[in-house]
Amino acid sequence: MELTQTRRPSGRRLSRSGLTAVSLLALAATALTGCASGKATGSDAGDATASAGGTTSTAKTGKVSIVVIGGKSDDPFFSTVKRGVEDATKLVKAGGGTVTYLGPANYDNLGPDVAKLTQTAISQNPTAILVPDWVPENQDSAIKQAIAKGITVFIYNSGGVAAANKVGAVKYVGSDDYEAGKAGGVKFAEEGAKNILCVNTVPGSANQEARCKGIKDGATSKGSSSKQLPLPSSNFGNPSAVTQAIKGALLKDSSIDAVVTIGVGDADSAASAIKQANVGGKVKLGTFDLSQSQLDRIKAGTQLFAIDQQPYLQGFYVVSMANQYLSYGVLPPQNPILTGPLLVTKDNVGKAIAGAKAGVR
């Protein structure tokens, strides 16, 4: 999961291209789906957003109607997820079906708000609800209620197979945070890093802890080491505080030769800390997720990598899969359906930049 600053603003929304949409529309002719229309709104959990396909039909009509619950509308990460949802919606709409996107107004009360959005979706009686399982203790009851009413549920972005199995969802679509961390740890070690600092601005969060554990295990497998720098939750969303904390750690321990952050906002802070500590020639930088500043630094050679969970694919895959499953019972046997990790490095950053310009990275 990536919730941007509140959570990690990156300002990376670049101009979009119609390339993906054109190819999807070409596929639409062979992807006949269920049809109909109706209505769903985001009346709960504050000013929820609703978009990406118009209104929703009810399951009573026997038509395909999908509700996608995601991040808030101005979240850079989820704007890319939403682009994938919108492109997959073209296939759904080609057969007369509909997709609605609901998101919370903010992340201040995430678990309860997303649970309320799930209840809102249930009240519209759609054929499927697609939702991240960010805060299971708040969300699982509502998700199970949807399934008990005969609504098909897919978990995506956060929770993994364990969450999907626990609530009775069909599949999980997204990245594996632990495996993503392992890939990063291995990459650091292969590039010569011996002592890696994993900066965690959300200590105790299951997915962020998994990322740092993966970094450590990946590094250890190649003979290097890693330790975590857990920062107080009061530092979250405070770039200056994060910069100073990382700078202090670098000055205190001169053996640190790599820093990895759990998200792009913290990576910008880490880049500032490395510069201020005057250790840019020694300390390598990596991060989870993408933003324009990460792409620019990778291209310039001042950042080693970014671990991309490919949010566009999360949105596109989960909607497409739900549509085909509801229409024809077609379902890939794999679980999870992984969209990452994919490391963006100097070797492939050019394609990543092109993807960002198209609005899909």
Side-chain angles (χ1 to χ4, degrees):
M1 162 189 179
E2 165 72 275
L3 297 177
T4 53
Q5 213 90 305
T6 8
R7 288 223 173 201
R8 317 194 202 326
S10 65
R12 76 176 178 89
R13 286 284 56 80
L14 304 177
S15 60
R16 293 181 175 177
S17 161
L19 179 60
T20 305
V22 170
S23 60
L24 291 174
L25 288 174
L27 291 172
T30 59
L32 299 179
T33 61
C35 44
S37 63
K39 189 170 185 114
T41 62
S43 57
D44 264 325
D47 298 323
T49 60
S51 61
T55 57
T56 340
S57 63
T58 68
K60 293 179 180 178
T61 65
K63 312 296 186 177
V64 171
S65 57
I66 299 170
V67 176
V68 182
I69 298 173
K72 64 194 186 85
S73 59
D74 61 348
D75 181 325
F77 179 89
F78 269 94
S79 68
T80 308
V81 172
K82 220 173 147 187
R83 175 64 187 272
V85 169
E86 290 166 351
D87 283 350
T89 295
K90 293 178 174 67
L91 298 177
V92 181
K93 292 178 70 175
T98 58
V99 180
T100 297
Y101 183 97
L102 302 177
N106 55 58
Y107 297 139
D108 295 344
N109 198 32
L110 183 64
D113 281 353
V114 176
K116 289 179 182 178
L117 287 176
T118 305
Q119 294 288 351
T120 297
I122 291 171
S123 72
Q124 306 304 319
N125 200 26
T127 47
I129 296 174
L130 320 180
V131 59
D133 197 3
W134 284 316
V135 190
E137 58 267 33
N138 296 126
Q139 296 180 240
D140 283 2
S141 177
I143 294 172
K144 289 178 180 179
Q145 182 181 338
I147 293 171
K149 290 193 66 175
I151 299 170
T152 297
V153 171
F154 283 78
I155 301 297
Y156 80 101
N157 178 257
S158 181
V161 173
N165 290 341
K166 180 181 177 183
V167 298
V170 176
K171 282 191 185 294
Y172 171 72
V173 179
S175 188
D176 183 309
D177 289 308
Y178 174 75
E179 293 299 330
K182 279 185 68 178
V186 167
K187 179 63 174 176
F188 269 136
E190 289 178 344
E191 295 294 329
K194 297 298 183 183
N195 186 10
I196 305 160
L197 185 69
C198 186
V199 181
N200 189 350
T201 50
V202 196
S205 170
N207 57 326
Q208 311 305 355
E209 295 289 347
R211 288 179 170 189
C212 283
K213 186 177 188 306
I215 289 287
K216 181 176 182 179
D217 289 353
T220 301
S221 73
K222 295 294 183 178
S224 297
S225 64
S226 176
K227 60 184 177 182
Q228 187 177 148
L229 175 64
L231 299 182
S233 58
S234 58
N235 283 6
F236 182 76
N238 186 336
S240 178
V242 175
T243 295
Q244 292 308 308
I246 297 173
K247 177 183 175 181
L250 293 173
L251 293 176
K252 182 178 179 180
D253 184 354
S254 61
S255 70
I256 295 172
D257 54 8
V259 174
V260 63
T261 63
I262 61 169
V264 294
D266 294 337
D268 293 340
S269 297
S272 295
I274 291 169
K275 184 176 180 179
Q276 290 179 26
N278 197 28
V279 291
K282 181 186 76 170
V283 177
K284 297 174 175 62
L285 175 61
T287 190
F288 291 83
D289 301 312
L290 284 182
S291 73
Q292 187 61 56
S293 57
Q294 317 310 312
L295 295 173
D296 291 343
R297 283 197 294 266
I298 292 170
K299 183 178 180 180
T302 57
Q303 181 166 323
L304 183 59
F305 64 78
I307 305 172
D308 188 14
Q309 60 175 295
Q310 302 188 101
Y312 173 87
L313 288 185
Q314 292 181 14
F316 182 78
Y317 281 175
V318 75
V319 171
S320 300
M321 194 178 307
N323 181 50
Q324 296 302 312
Y325 179 64
L326 293 169
S327 299
Y328 310 120
V330 173
L331 193 67
Q334 297 87 356
N335 194 23
I337 305 297
L338 292 178
T339 63
L342 178 71
L343 265 65
V344 177
T345 67
K346 63 181 180 181
D347 295 328
N348 60 3
V349 69
K351 290 183 178 178
I353 290 171
K357 290 179 179 178
V360 300
R361 295 297 292 271

